[in-house]
Amino acid sequence: MAKRTNTRTPAPRATDNHDVIRVLGARENNLKDVSIEIPKRQLTVFTGVSGSGKSSLVFDTIAAESQRLINETYSAFVQGFMPTLARPDVDVLEGLTTAISVDQQRMGADPRSTVGTATDANAMLRILFSRLGKPHIGPPSAYAFNVPTVRAAGAITVERGEKKAVKATFSRTGGMCSRCEGRGSVTDLDLTQLYDDSKSLDEGALTIPGYKPGGWNYRLYSESGLFASDKPIRRFTKRELHAFLHHEPTRMKIAGINMTYEGLIPRIQKSMLAKDKEGMQPHIREFVERAVTFTTCPECDGTRLAEGARSSKIKRISIADACAMQISDLAEWVRGLKEPSVAPLLTALGHTLDSFVEIGLGYLSLDRPAGTLSGGEAQRVKMIRHLGSALTDVTYVFDEPTIGLHPHDIQRMNDLLLRLRDKGNTVLVVEHKPETIAIADHVVDLGPGAGTAGGTVCFEGTVDGLRRGDTVTGRHLDDRATVKETVRKPTGALEIRGATANNLRKVDVDVPLGVLVVVTGVAGSGKSSLVHGSIPAGEDVVAIDQSPIRGSRRSNPATYTGLLEPIRKAFAKANDVKPALFSANSEGACPTCNGAGVIYTDLAMMAGVATTCEDCEGKRFQASVLEYHLGGRDISEVLAMSVDEAEEFFGAGEARTPTAHRILERLSDVGLGYLTLGQPLTTLSGGERQRLKLATHMAEKGGVYVLDEPTTGLHLADVEHLLGLLDRLVDAGKSVIVIEHHQAVMAHADWIIDLGPGAGHDGGRVVFEGTPADLVADRSTLTGEHLAAYVGS
């Protein structure tokens, strides 16, 4: 007799209700009490103009609170080693799952940090060579370029019934090259750029900027008494030359004042070479580029590895050879190793290397310094560890994952995002590209404007609903540029001959001058190698990339662009006081927080906390300084203004300051009108950093501007604004060379140089030169096909 089955629907359980992430009253940064429900286990794309609050909602609210709650599950001791995370300014956050943020922050700039060390690939290769390498030289550490070889000998006391000293030796075999200490290159200062050795110090031998005769920097050496100041430097004895160049820091009385004396070389290294070149004044930057020489380490030939590590090989391939291979080739080599004793290791290593290829990074090599990766490449390298993860019901948070991707590669990225979703994960993506918005299950559009004009949810729903909705994103979602009918005529050409940097294959190309040139091609085809390697920044060339702007949390757009200087002088003149009072890093700083606006408290083994300074209420200035006004505003209120507000404020009336107004106009021209003047530089995206540099360099007299993907982080509506700026630069007589993937920029170009046909060793050649119309008509390259589809030809 058949069993009777219960066909009634089971009663709904409480666990079934946790299908959304609920956000109530989010006020982080510019968010205005945002309340929203985000569906779980779906792909949600957040759109909106730059500065509308997308990252504030996704990264600074949802992901930050998830991370903070996870950190609280660890012991107080472990929390002491974790970054401090304050609770986001939000009323309620419910339904959170473990969030994994995959952002565009560049990886460490240390030369010892490589693509291989940033993933597990290097660690697995070291184990492989320690097992199979011939001759056998030691454990995995013997193949690591960040582990030095250590040998020690001495006596130790052993207590076994009675104490007795036993001689012992200790040794650890590391793979680090002793000459370059695992960096692959050695740096030298060209002494001829520091001083003229035919002159004495009294005759003005020093040629370093800021070391003028009579100045304190100069008197430190000329009046030190350690060597004769009236004797030509070339006649110094060995002891005098050492004291002049290499003396360790020593307190001594010089010219009647207690000062710290140190040799010229360590002093220059600390004062100039440790700083970011981008933040230097032009004449100091020019000196540093002249004086410092980087040469490949002669002992390890740039491999970073000691002789022993380079001598051990598997099938005639050393670990240095393996790390220098293109990853797609290395994956093939690993697949060819048939060794049962390490079969699980080979499988895991092969899977990791295949992930590189799958994500479009097969053209990289494992020894590529992590600091040289673009923001988009760095983000995709971070993705690799998640592709094969067995975790489900995780919230993955991506910040514009299509950055740096050719239209041909965007489909591959879309597939990966969908794959993560289909494993049962919640995928949140901040994105501007219509190709990625189109695959979303759910869309949240923030705005309507940027900064104080944004911070509200304008739309949430499906992609079709967004198209029909009357929002800035909805109106521009189907925008398609048209190819220029007439192009400008070049005024000359920049000849590049025999370019061989990285994967370039003796490229010969003429780059037209006086027009807008776009260099394009798939990721890894050699665009940056051609442009940055063959057109070095110099007197007439202004090269602007997305590399980080070094600076403390005190640095902001006002200090970086030089805007604070005329503002301080205007306040000082209006109130008849010193300009130094209006600097939070000088006399006007709040004494309680030293002008930081917040107080950082170290709680020993527990995570430290940052609290707003109660004395200045986060304004950073002394109360007496805030009594001084210009145009009815104090200095803290001015630094809280957006660029657009400040442009209007300093453009007319009592606060009219032409110098400040010109800098603000340039910031507005590059699409940064929404930034606040006092916003820390550490919070800017890669695209914002590049546009900030562009605004700063626009005041210089360079004739050639080289830009690296300036559309990064730009909303569809802002791309048109950027094209107008590029046109104005060209019309003013400048030559503009842009490395770019955005089809609207390609269509707007006067001339296109397309590299390819593939990436890595499959690229490195010029596959097309001509106008956008010719490229569309020709359709012989991947770029041509995608541009033709974009413009509807």
Side-chain angles (χ1 to χ4, degrees):
M1 182 176 167
K3 273 191 178 181
R4 186 179 170 192
T5 56
N6 188 352
T7 56
R8 285 184 301 169
T9 306
R13 291 178 296 176
T15 51
D16 297 330
N17 298 328
H18 298 285
D19 54 356
V20 294
I21 297 172
R22 288 180 66 234
V23 181
L24 296 178
R27 292 175 295 275
E28 197 68 26
N29 299 327
N30 68 330
L31 296 178
K32 297 172 181 173
D33 268 326
V34 168
S35 296
I36 190 172
E37 291 190 347
I38 301 164
K40 285 187 182 177
R41 294 172 285 282
Q42 290 191 22
L43 172 61
T44 301
V45 172
F46 294 79
T47 66
V49 297
S50 300
S52 60
K54 303 182 298 297
S55 294
S56 299
L57 177 59
V58 179
F59 284 92
D60 301 340
T61 303
I62 297 171
E65 179 65 357
S66 173
Q67 189 62 60
R68 189 184 74 83
L69 293 173
I70 291 168
N71 287 2
E72 285 188 353
T73 64
Y74 297 106
S75 67
F77 175 77
V78 173
Q79 286 182 49
F81 297 97
M82 293 178 169
T84 303
L85 294 171
R87 189 184 187 281
D89 190 1
V90 59
D91 292 334
V92 177
L93 266 174
E94 292 179 342
L96 290 179
T97 66
T98 304
I100 297 175
S101 294
V102 189
D103 58 22
Q104 294 170 40
Q105 290 299 318
R106 298 287 184 112
M107 296 186 179
D110 191 298
R112 294 197 197 102
S113 176
T114 66
V115 169
T117 60
T119 58
D120 295 330
N122 253 48
M124 289 189 277
L125 264 182
R126 292 198 295 269
I127 296 170
L128 183 67
F129 273 86
S130 70
R131 301 283 193 276
L132 305 181
K134 296 285 190 292
H136 177 74
I137 60 164
S141 63
Y143 298 89
F145 55 75
N146 47 18
V147 178
T149 295
V150 178
R151 292 186 180 87
I156 60 173
T157 302
V158 180
E159 293 187 19
R160 285 196 195 123
E162 60 182 49
K163 296 180 182 180
K164 62 176 182 178
V166 179
K167 279 193 175 181
T169 59
F170 168 79
S171 68
R172 179 185 67 195
T173 305
M176 178 187 287
C177 168
S178 57
R179 171 72 188 276
C180 66
E181 296 184 337
R183 296 178 186 276
S185 64
V186 287
T187 57
D188 288 313
L189 272 170
D190 184 353
L191 297 182
T192 62
Q193 299 294 334
L194 306 185
Y195 56 81
D196 181 350
D197 67 354
S198 66
K199 293 180 180 178
S200 67
L201 289 169
D202 288 347
E203 293 170 329
L206 297 183
T207 56
I208 307 160
Y211 284 69
K212 289 181 180 176
W216 275 115
N217 282 332
Y218 206 95
R219 293 175 67 184
L220 185 71
Y221 295 96
S222 62
E223 300 181 29
S224 66
L226 296 173
F227 32 76
S229 61
D230 59 353
K231 182 165 68 171
I233 292 174
R234 66 172 53 158
R235 288 173 51 199
F236 277 12
T237 64
K238 277 188 177 179
R239 180 174 291 180
E240 287 175 328
L241 194 61
H242 183 270
F244 175 50
L245 294 178
H246 303 289
H247 202 286
E248 64 278 359
T250 308
R251 292 291 287 177
M252 60 172 65
K253 190 163 279 190
I254 299 174
I257 300 172
N258 283 326
M259 300 178 72
T260 299
Y261 175 89
E262 66 180 325
L264 187 63
I265 288 176
R267 187 175 171 84
I268 293 295
Q269 286 173 331
K270 287 176 189 173
S271 64
M272 293 185 182
L273 305 189
K275 294 181 180 176
D276 177 26
K277 284 200 295 186
E278 276 295 337
M280 295 177 181
Q281 293 173 300
H283 67 290
I284 295 179
R285 193 188 318 145
E286 189 182 339
F287 161 75
V288 169
E289 287 169 350
R290 266 199 334 265
V292 181
T293 56
F294 293 88
T295 53
T296 301
C297 175
E299 283 194 21
C300 67
D301 200 23
T303 62
R304 308 180 176 93
L305 289 161
E307 172 60 32
R310 286 179 282 133
S311 67
S312 179
K313 298 185 178 182
I314 301 173
K315 290 189 175 180
R316 292 177 298 193
I317 297 288
S318 69
I319 192 167
D321 299 330
C323 288
M325 279 185 193
Q326 186 167 303
I327 289 174
S328 56
D329 294 341
L330 180 59
E332 287 293 325
W333 181 75
V334 168
R335 267 193 291 275
L337 297 176
K338 306 297 182 187
E339 184 60 49
S341 63
V342 289
L345 177 65
L346 290 173
T347 302
L349 178 57
H351 176 76
T352 299
L353 297 175
D354 287 340
S355 295
F356 275 99
V357 178
E358 186 179 5
I359 209 165
L361 294 177
Y363 59 88
L364 296 178
S365 59
L366 294 182
D367 64 1
R368 170 88 173 260
T372 65
L373 299 177
S374 69
E377 287 172 331
Q379 183 173 208
R380 296 199 293 283
V381 166
K382 293 174 194 172
M383 279 183 75
I384 282 168
R385 64 181 65 240
H386 306 303
L387 291 181
S389 172
L391 291 173
T392 60
D393 227 339
V394 170
T395 299
Y396 285 101
V397 185
F398 293 97
D399 189 7
E400 294 183 59
T402 59
I403 280 180
L405 286 182
H406 188 272
H408 175 69
D409 298 317
I410 290 178
Q411 183 57 49
R412 183 185 286 169
M413 176 58 68
N414 285 349
D415 292 342
L416 291 171
L417 295 175
L418 292 171
R419 221 170 76 196
L420 285 173
R421 178 204 66 185
D422 293 343
K423 282 171 64 177
N425 298 307
T426 304
V427 181
L428 310 182
V429 182
V430 174
E431 190 54 83
H432 292 297
K433 290 279 175 68
E435 296 98 322
T436 301
I437 296 172
I439 66 165
D441 300 311
H442 190 73
V443 179
V444 178
D445 191 20
L446 283 98
T452 54
T456 62
V457 175
C458 300
F459 171 86
E460 53 176 319
T462 63
V463 179
D464 287 337
L466 178 65
R467 278 197 177 89
R468 293 192 299 270
D470 188 27
T471 69
V472 176
T473 306
R475 289 195 296 272
H476 288 273
L477 192 57
D478 293 316
D479 279 4
R480 294 295 180 265
T482 54
V483 173
K484 266 182 171 175
E485 291 182 10
T486 58
V487 294
R488 302 179 185 93
K489 297 296 180 190
T491 56
L494 188 67
E495 293 185 359
I496 297 174
R497 295 290 179 268
T500 55
N502 298 326
N503 66 329
L504 296 178
R505 302 188 178 189
K506 295 184 179 177
V507 170
D508 295 335
V509 65
D510 291 337
V511 181
L513 296 176
V515 296
L516 174 59
V517 178
V518 171
V519 180
T520 187
V522 296
S525 59
K527 304 181 297 297
S528 296
S529 301
L530 178 68
V531 175
H532 295 304
S534 306
I535 312 172
E539 191 175 317
D540 198 44
V541 178
V542 178
I544 305 164
D545 59 18
Q546 295 180 31
S547 59
I549 299 170
R550 279 193 198 163
S552 68
R553 49 192 167 218
R554 294 171 176 270
S555 304
N556 53 50
T559 57
Y560 181 77
T561 59
L563 173 64
L564 191 60
E565 194 64 29
I567 290 177
R568 286 166 51 200
K569 287 178 179 174
F571 265 93
K573 186 177 178 182
N575 295 281
D576 198 25
V577 290
K578 291 190 295 185
L581 283 175
F582 303 99
S583 170
N585 300 325
S586 188
E587 293 181 28
C590 165
T592 307
C593 62
N594 293 323
V598 291
I599 294 173
Y600 298 93
T601 308
D602 182 8
L603 298 178
M605 65 180 181
M606 294 179 69
V609 292
T611 53
T612 302
C613 175
E614 291 181 4
D615 282 9
C616 67
E617 297 178 340
K619 293 179 179 177
R620 303 174 64 188
F621 293 90
Q622 299 173 27
S624 58
V625 173
L626 300 181
E627 292 174 8
Y628 299 116
H629 289 79
L630 175 68
R633 303 287 188 99
D634 64 43
I635 184 68
S636 71
E637 290 173 327
V638 167
L639 289 176
M641 287 180 179
S642 69
V643 168
D644 287 340
E645 288 176 86
E647 187 182 355
E648 189 177 333
F649 180 72
F650 289 106
E654 183 191 338
R656 185 174 179 274
T657 310
T659 312
H661 190 255
R662 279 195 296 273
I663 296 172
L664 289 162
E665 275 185 322
R666 292 199 295 271
L667 285 168
S668 185
D669 276 349
V670 297
L672 293 178
Y674 60 90
L675 283 189
T676 54
L677 304 186
Q679 182 174 339
L681 291 185
T682 50
T683 64
L684 301 188
S685 69
E688 286 170 335
R689 284 194 294 261
Q690 182 174 203
R691 295 198 292 284
L692 185 62
K693 292 178 191 175
L694 175 59
T696 307
H697 287 302
M698 277 169 68
E700 297 178 13
K701 295 179 180 177
V704 179
Y705 282 77
V706 177
L707 306 179
D708 195 347
E709 294 188 53
T711 60
T712 297
L714 277 186
H715 185 265
L716 300 162
D718 296 326
V719 173
E720 198 173 327
H721 188 80
L722 175 74
L723 293 176
L725 171 66
L726 299 180
D727 278 341
R728 287 200 297 280
L729 283 172
V730 175
D731 293 339
K734 312 288 187 185
S735 300
V736 180
I737 302 166
V738 182
I739 301 170
E740 191 54 83
H741 292 299
H742 202 293
Q743 296 100 318
V745 181
M746 295 181 206
H748 198 75
D750 297 307
W751 193 258
I752 287 183
I753 298 172
D754 192 16
L755 277 84
H761 56 50
D762 296 324
R765 295 192 295 269
V766 174
V767 291
F768 176 84
E769 294 177 77
T771 64
D774 291 340
L775 180 60
V776 168
D778 192 42
R779 297 197 196 199
S780 59
T781 69
L782 285 171
T783 306
E785 289 175 18
H786 284 278
L787 184 58
Y790 180 82
V791 300
S793 293

